Amino acid sequence: QKKLSTLKAIRISQADGNLFAIGPQLPPSDGTILRAKGKTSFYLVKDGKLKLFGSFTTNQYKARVKARIVSADELNLYQRGGYVAPKNGTLVKKKKDKSIYVMSNGTKKPLPHVLFFNLKYKNKDIVTLSDAEMLSFETGTYPLPRNNTYFKVIETGELYLFKNGSVHAISRA
């Protein structure tokens, strides 16, 4: 899995090997899904750490089907590092909270009501995650509105057009 060849290994004696400090056991390659034999939790190896799958992400990533079974002792050797983020574009919220976020590269982006409708999201697509999961993801900036969206400032009546990643004032002339 790590693409190491035993043919290229340098042969040393045990005495020579004892000259080096022993570090932690290396986990499998990033992207590997693990489960300890007899346990129900699934983990994703990412950046050398184990990230826990929540119930939603277990199904979303089909972790049950893809998991490699290892001993609990081996699993305990590896460092833990938060939760597996839902896939990009997934709408998420915490229990008992009305704030909605859209996932993007492991970051939750706040999704105000006006952008929710502008981006054509639907309430049926919102997934409720545990508080622990939601707290484990960094909060990013707002997602961008759809291209060619017009804005009117309530207080001043000024008009703007969102185009190519930025807001442009519209002349009243």
Side-chain angles (χ1 to χ4, degrees), residues 6 23 25 48 50 56 58 61 85 132 142 147 149 158 172:
T6 55
Q25 181 169 317
L50 298 184
F56 174 77
T58 295
Y61 286 91
Y142 292 101
N147 217 21
T149 297
E158 293 178 82
R172 292 184 182 248

Side-chain angles (χ1 to χ4, degrees), residues 81-127:
Y83 285 85
V84 174
K87 292 180 178 182
N88 288 346
T90 303
L91 300 177
V92 297
K93 72 178 204 79
K94 286 193 316 188
K95 295 176 185 173
K96 300 180 183 177
D97 190 349
K98 293 182 180 181
S99 299
I100 300 169
Y101 301 86
V102 61
M103 295 303 299
S104 177
N105 299 319
T107 301
K108 61 184 183 197
K109 293 185 167 209
L111 193 58
H113 191 71
V114 68
L115 280 178
F116 181 87
F117 289 106
N118 174 261
L119 295 171
K120 299 193 180 216
Y121 288 122
K122 304 209 178 337
N123 284 321
K124 69 178 181 71
D125 297 327
I126 301 169
V127 176

Side-chain angles (χ1 to χ4, degrees), residues 51-66:
K51 291 189 171 274
L52 180 63
F53 280 94
S55 61
F56 174 77
T57 53
T58 295
N59 293 328
Q60 190 180 43
Y61 286 91
K62 297 176 180 36
R64 282 177 180 65
V65 177
K66 298 177 180 178

Side-chain angles (χ1 to χ4, degrees), residues 22-39:
I22 298 174
Q25 181 169 317
L26 295 175
S29 298
D30 278 4
T32 303
I33 298 173
L34 301 174
R35 178 178 63 85
K37 187 176 182 178
K39 303 291 183 180

Side-chain angles (χ1 to χ4, degrees), residues 54 83 93-95 128-137:
Y83 285 85
K93 72 178 204 79
K94 286 193 316 188
K95 295 176 185 173
T128 301
L129 300 179
S130 72
D131 290 356
E133 281 180 274
M134 288 295 288
L135 290 172
S136 75
F137 309 129

